Amino acid sequence: MARLFSPRPPPSEDLFYETYYSLSQQYPLLLLLLVIVLFGLLALLTVAWASGRELASDPGFLTTMLCGLGGFSLLLGLASREQRLQRWTRPLSGLVWAALLALGHGFLFTGGVVSAWDQVSFFLFVIFTVYAMLPLGMRDAAAAGLASSLSHLLVLGLYLGPQPDSQPALLPQLAANAVLFLCGNVAGAYHKALMERALRATFREALSSLHSRRRLDTEKKHQEHLLLSILPAYLAREMKAEIMARLQAGQGSRPESTNNFHSLYVKRHQGVSVLYADIVGFTRLASECSPKELVLMLNELFGKFDQIAKEHECMRIKILGDCYYCVSGLPLSLPDHAVNCVRMGLDMCRAIRKLRAATGVDINMRVGVHSGSVLCGVIGLQKWQYDVWSHDVTLANHMEASGVPGRVHITGATLALLAGAYAVEEAAMEHGDPYLRELGEPTYLVIDPRAEEEDEKGTAGGLLSSLEGPKMRPSLLMTRYLESWGAAKPFAHLSHVESPVSTSTPLPEKALSSFSPQWSLDRSRTPRGLDDELDTGDAKFFQVIEQLNSQKQWKQSEDFNPLTLYFREKEMEKEYRLSALPAFKYYAACTFLVFFSNFIIQMLVTNRPPALTITYSITFLLFFLLLFVCFSEHLTRCVLKGPKMLHWLPTLSVLVATRPGLRVALGTTTILLIFSMAITSLVFLPAASNCPFRAPNVSSTASNLSWELPGSLPLISVPYSMHCCVLGFLSCSLFLHMSFELKLLLLLLWLAASCSLFLHSHAWLSDCLIARLYLGTLDSRPGVLKEPKLMGAISFFIFFFTLLVLARQNEYYCRLDFLWKKKLRQEQEETETMENLTRLLLENVLPAHVAPQFIGQNRRNEDLYHQSYECVCVLFASVPDFKEFYSESSINHEGLECLRLLNEIIADFDELLSKPKFSGVEKIKTICSTYMAATGLNATSGQDAQQDAEQSCSHLGTMVEFAVALGSKLDVINKHSFNNFRLRVGLNHGPVVAGVIGAQKPQYDIWGNTVNVASRMESTGVLGKIQVTEETACALQSLGYTCYSRGIIKVKGKGQLCTYFLNTDLTRTGPPSATLG
């Protein structure tokens, strides 16, 4: 029995559970109990009047009935208000119990002679309903049930003890009553334990489901934020559908397409302005920074720029090192896009001027703006970054490169759209960009109207530096100042994902603080202002609690049919009926207790004829066989030690638990056996109406007459057979998961059979018992309360309706429990899918080893992510011929078809990353037709420094093989597209700093001299060749690769460098060569 009781929940959960339990489960049952009692009293009055009894002649009966009707009507009025019941649950329940007890004792002493079997069925009804229908705890219910039992036994024992010997033996009857009451208490406690266990499980599952929904909503919001941090909303919806398809088909795979091309998510937009901005002097400053300072500086700077962009309706596109570019007019067209970009450029220059004035650090801002049309979207399969392409974008880039530090450089197209909003001056072209000189169009510098005001006010001249002291590094000065800007951290919205659903689900804090037992869970009746105090989560909590209210079963529901309680979905109904039921063995064990109680009662009140003993012996064998089948799994150890031919026996209990048809057959057979044995004693009574106590020659003084019929059982076995039938009714309620329609059928069968037996075929036995009981009295007709057949029939009907109500309630909660379990499973699966999607999206922005630090509880702290590495190999691979290939005409849809080919190139490059041998290669970004990747980023910080050079830089070979594979992929594309693209690759290795910056669009990137030199190796390289620095060439030679010298070349920002070409025609040649050339 201990397994039937679930562990005690935390106090807060217990508080909510008790309230929910009282309102949703016990409240309607209490009302129904009072209604049943009132109808029972009215039925008694009706039967008394219909049987021709004079009500006025029995004032005690009439007074008891009227008091009962008045008292229970008053209690029904008191209980009809939920709030009153919520406040006075225990006192009101105690009043109902006391009223029932008083009514029972009133019945004992009105209507005729008091007998030991009087009102046993009514007291059994009181005992059972105390457990099943009153909102009391288990301890209170047990105390009330035992008190009811003892009161009946003590009152009758004390009253009948001094009676003359003409009464039948009192002790066996009191013992039989005690057995009946004990069985009623156990059955009631068992029913209450089963219901509380089921209700508590449903309650917890509902809370878990609520928690799961919250997690699901959180995951959906995170995905939305994450997608929108990478892509605009219109593109995010389209790409999310493909990601879901990839997840369902298997992560990393691509759904089948109707053509051989990868999906292209690029659209053309006209009427936009493009802004490019570069921080002049930042490269020198960054070389002095620690990794943490560098990442913090970049995040604060670009975070500030993102704020400015948001203020001026611009969309940041990408960050390239210290270069920042954005677009106004995307994704929705804006009439003042040119003004927005110019304002943003001026504000960026102003922010840098303030920074320079405060810190004394020599940096500046160079901004270029051009207006036109763009192709915008995402290309490739991994590390998506929203980007823009067009000749107008290229022109905007050159506007920045040829601009003046601290000024906004614009084209004539942008100037025309400004409509005189700003004064401009023509830019000098003699030192301009060759690309601009070739165009031959004038360009302009915008005059900032607030620059003169700032000059008049004067600058602080390095205010912070003067305060901090002259010895502080410029990078540290900048970091101190930038921290005051307070830019948001990347992925801040992902740092508080709830933990997985646990068995002890936390409840809403506001709901706990605002909860009081003095108000109902009905939201229409909550105190004023409470709804304002509850947040959305708390409101959802109360919505879930209200869904558990049993009164919902009578209302229209999308899940249930309100009449039959069948699930509306046929598949769910089938799944429910075929679900396993491990608790069936406990149902069978408790029904055996009812059967055993019937057996003891029959043995106490009969003279134990051999035929009755034999019948019970056979039934005992059948019950033991049933219990063995149900509990055979607990005998596994014993059976396995025996013969192998018996090893199948433990599977019997599994069959019973998992086969619904077998359970129904066994349950029905068990209940019918109990019913049959309850009326078996009637078989041994005469069938003919031959009552010796009605004979006219029987003297009124013949007190020595026996209570037994000649050659038959004692007459007192007749009312006890009725009481055994009532126990049989109770056995139906013990099968908690038995379907309502089957219970209804069995109860109807039982009711019809019992009434036909005691009111028709064997009714004369009741009359004979009355004749013997009232032998020698003036009035031989007792009140309706004292006539066994009438009181027995009324008891049958009262128990029938009571158990019918409980059966309906049990059916509803069993189905509700199943529904919430199913919902919880579905929501957990959906949550898991969403979490996988979030992880996939995050890993599409960040490397796999970085992503976990931004997911939920794995997030270490609120610091920016940064990591320094001693040996990272950086690759830049470009397709320079694509610039000449790209054109904008109506034939290629203004460049869209050119980008389709670029998408194929980048996507094929990305597919290489899924190969196991390239698992160490991390794609960083694409810059137009340039592909940037790195190896060595998944090594632990500081690990490289402790290893020898050969081992720490062994990943250089992986990068070389990846570069060769890129060339092979491009050759395949050339073959299919009839082009002659060639790859230009630059490699370099050394220390780098990695980090995540940008709250609006978080971006993983790497910085350092190693990255800059690798980029120069590509830009100064030769088509079809892999150019490397001298240090990288030495490292590759030690790995078995052959390099030959190109000579000394001029590299922008680095001076004269000696570089080498990798011999890509050869793979590893074995021992290192003696020379590089």
Side-chain angles (χ1 to χ4, degrees), residues 327-347:
V327 176
S328 181
L330 284 180
L332 300 176
S333 297
L334 296 172
D336 51 352
H337 55 86
V339 175
N340 290 341
C341 276
V342 171
R343 283 177 180 169
M344 179 175 174
L346 292 173
D347 283 351

Side-chain angles (χ1 to χ4, degrees), residues 616-669:
Y616 265 104
S617 299
I618 296 171
T619 314
F620 264 108
L621 287 175
L622 293 175
F623 260 103
F624 285 142
L625 180 61
L626 170 67
L627 293 176
F628 175 79
V629 169
C630 291
F631 287 91
S632 59
E633 64 176 345
H634 297 281
L635 305 174
T636 304
R637 290 184 179 179
C638 299
V639 172
L640 291 178
K641 293 178 181 178
K644 288 186 178 181
M645 60 183 297
L646 298 177
H647 286 185
W648 57 273
L649 288 176
T651 60
L652 291 175
S653 60
V654 179
L655 286 175
V656 172
T658 55
R659 298 291 177 87
L662 186 58
R663 289 200 305 267
V664 169
L666 289 176
T668 306
T669 304

Side-chain angles (χ1 to χ4, degrees), residues 55-77:
L55 298 180
S57 63
D58 191 355
F61 169 74
L62 188 60
T63 303
T64 303
M65 297 301 294
L66 291 177
C67 289
L69 285 170
F72 282 100
S73 298
L74 179 62
L75 287 172
L76 182 61

Side-chain angles (χ1 to χ4, degrees), residues 273 335-339 342 369-372 410-422 424 441-444 446:
S273 291
D336 51 352
H337 55 86
V339 175
V342 171
V369 179
H370 173 59
S371 303
I410 64 173
T411 61
T414 303
L415 178 63
L417 292 172
L418 292 180
Y422 288 94
V424 297
E441 294 184 4
T443 59
Y444 306 89
V446 178

Side-chain angles (χ1 to χ4, degrees), residues 447-744:
I447 299 174
D448 188 352
R450 286 175 290 183
E452 294 180 1
E453 298 176 10
E454 292 176 1
D455 291 340
E456 290 175 3
K457 292 179 182 178
T459 62
L463 177 62
L464 188 64
S465 61
S466 61
L467 292 175
E468 297 287 352
K471 295 183 180 180
M472 184 171 288
R473 288 184 292 111
S475 60
L476 189 56
L477 281 171
M478 270 197 61
T479 305
R480 292 277 182 88
Y481 179 78
L482 290 172
E483 282 179 338
S484 65
W485 285 2
K489 304 291 191 299
F491 302 108
H493 60 282
L494 291 180
S495 60
H496 301 293
V497 183
E498 286 96 335
S499 59
V501 177
S502 61
T503 54
S504 57
T505 308
L507 298 177
E509 292 183 4
K510 285 191 178 180
L512 282 173
S513 62
S514 59
F515 176 79
S516 169
Q518 299 180 359
W519 56 269
S520 164
L521 291 182
D522 185 349
R523 297 308 298 276
S524 63
R525 302 180 182 179
T526 52
R528 291 185 64 184
L530 179 63
D531 285 336
D532 299 333
E533 297 175 10
L534 300 177
D535 59 15
T536 305
D538 298 328
K540 288 183 179 180
F541 169 76
F542 286 109
Q543 289 172 8
V544 170
I545 295 302
E546 285 188 12
Q547 289 179 25
L548 301 178
N549 196 307
S550 63
Q551 299 172 62
K552 298 284 185 182
Q553 63 181 293
W554 303 104
K555 300 177 182 179
Q556 284 295 331
S557 167
E558 60 183 20
D559 299 312
F560 299 107
N561 182 308
L563 182 62
T564 62
L565 291 181
Y566 287 1
F567 291 113
R568 296 191 183 276
E569 294 182 17
K570 291 184 179 180
E571 286 299 318
M572 188 179 293
E573 180 66 24
K574 182 180 179 181
E575 186 180 348
Y576 170 74
R577 293 186 177 275
L578 295 178
S579 58
L581 184 59
F584 181 82
K585 54 191 174 187
Y586 301 114
Y587 303 164
C590 203
T591 52
F592 175 74
L593 175 65
V594 175
F595 165 74
F596 189 66
S597 300
N598 280 348
F599 167 72
I600 295 175
I601 293 166
Q602 296 286 359
M603 294 300 104
L604 287 170
V605 299
T606 65
N607 51 11
R608 295 175 289 281
L612 184 64
T613 306
I614 293 171
T615 306
Y616 265 104
S617 299
I618 296 171
T619 314
F620 264 108
L621 287 175
L622 293 175
F623 260 103
F624 285 142
L625 180 61
L626 170 67
L627 293 176
F628 175 79
V629 169
C630 291
F631 287 91
S632 59
E633 64 176 345
H634 297 281
L635 305 174
T636 304
R637 290 184 179 179
C638 299
V639 172
L640 291 178
K641 293 178 181 178
K644 288 186 178 181
M645 60 183 297
L646 298 177
H647 286 185
W648 57 273
L649 288 176
T651 60
L652 291 175
S653 60
V654 179
L655 286 175
V656 172
T658 55
R659 298 291 177 87
L662 186 58
R663 289 200 305 267
V664 169
L666 289 176
T668 306
T669 304
T670 304
I671 294 171
L672 292 176
L673 272 177
I674 291 175
F675 175 68
S676 302
M677 297 311 297
I679 59 174
T680 299
S681 60
L682 297 179
V683 177
F684 302 101
L685 291 168
S689 178
N690 185 18
C691 182
F693 308 113
R694 291 182 176 179
N697 58 352
V698 177
S699 170
S700 61
T701 59
S703 59
N704 59 345
L705 283 174
S706 172
W707 283 84
E708 295 184 13
L709 295 173
S712 183
L713 298 179
L715 282 172
I716 60 170
S717 65
V718 175
Y720 282 99
S721 293
M722 296 180 184
H723 302 330
C724 289
C725 285
V726 170
L727 283 184
F729 273 98
L730 293 183
S731 66
C732 277
S733 68
L734 300 178
F735 287 88
L736 189 67
H737 281 76
M738 182 178 281
S739 64
F740 175 74
E741 58 269 22
L742 183 57
K743 284 184 182 179
L744 175 62

Side-chain angles (χ1 to χ4, degrees), residues 1006-1038:
I1006 55 176
W1007 303 273
N1009 184 62
T1010 302
V1011 179
N1012 296 335
V1013 172
S1015 175
R1016 301 305 181 196
M1017 288 297 100
E1018 180 274 319
S1019 60
T1020 60
V1022 176
L1023 290 174
K1025 299 290 184 181
I1026 301 175
Q1027 183 172 230
V1028 299
T1029 60
E1030 186 172 6
E1031 295 79 5
T1032 303
C1034 292
L1036 288 174
Q1037 184 192 17
S1038 67

Side-chain angles (χ1 to χ4, degrees), residues 913-946:
L913 299 174
S914 60
K915 292 187 176 183
K917 66 177 181 178
F918 297 135
S919 59
V921 179
E922 191 66 48
K923 177 184 176 182
I924 305 300
K925 67 180 81 168
T926 56
I927 309 156
C928 192
S929 61
T930 302
Y931 195 93
M932 179 183 176
T935 56
L937 291 173
N938 52 1
T940 305
S941 179
Q943 184 179 20
D944 297 326
Q946 300 170 6

